[in-house]
Amino acid sequence: MSIVHVSDDTFEAKVLKSSRPVLVDFWAEWCGPCKSIGPILEQIAVEYQDRIEIAKVDVEGSQSTAMKYGIRSIPTLMLFKDGVVEAQHVGIVSKEQLQKLLEDRL
């Protein structure tokens, strides 16, 4: 299972119209905390591969999407189900916190 990178152009098709829940990581290349949660997202992608998709949105290159969802701090994680935001977490997150967020909503 790989983590997909989505942009303003592909967000609707890959996230909002996905048949599965999608965990979206709003991040930027220059963001240290964003890089630190990368390995956690990779582990979650493997462990939850039958249940969710994981997508990354670079806020620098996809400013329209970031603005639409009110992203003011990164990293921001949002869980989308059927095109609707079901959960959101801003800032660093541990694997255990992320698993709880997902388990409570999947």
Side-chain angles (χ1 to χ4, degrees), residues 48 94-105:
Y48 288 78
S94 70
K95 182 178 176 186
E96 293 76 22
Q97 289 171 312
L98 186 51
Q99 286 171 317
K100 178 163 179 22
L101 179 123
L102 293 172
E103 288 299 328
D104 288 348
R105 289 164 181 87

Side-chain angles (χ1 to χ4, degrees), residues 68-84:
K68 179 177 179 180
Y69 290 98
I71 305 303
R72 291 182 181 86
S73 297
I74 53 173
T76 293
L77 299 173
M78 288 185 167
L79 179 65
F80 287 82
K81 281 174 75 175
D82 299 319
V84 176

Side-chain angles (χ1 to χ4, degrees), residues 8-82:
D8 287 343
D9 294 336
T10 60
F11 190 85
E12 183 175 354
K14 299 275 186 175
V15 176
L16 300 180
K17 293 186 177 178
S18 176
S19 60
R20 296 169 54 175
V22 182
L23 179 64
V24 178
D25 174 24
F26 289 91
W27 72 290
E29 186 65 40
W30 48 263
C31 170
C34 299
K35 291 180 181 181
S36 71
I37 66 170
I40 294 169
L41 291 175
E42 290 172 14
Q43 292 172 16
I44 294 292
V46 171
E47 293 174 19
Y48 288 78
Q49 65 183 333
D50 296 330
R51 299 169 69 189
I52 66 169
E53 304 285 336
I54 297 184
K56 293 178 78 72
V57 174
D58 182 345
V59 297
E60 293 286 312
S62 299
Q63 293 180 2
S64 293
T65 301
M67 285 177 32
K68 179 177 179 180
Y69 290 98
I71 305 303
R72 291 182 181 86
S73 297
I74 53 173
T76 293
L77 299 173
M78 288 185 167
L79 179 65
F80 287 82
K81 281 174 75 175
D82 299 319

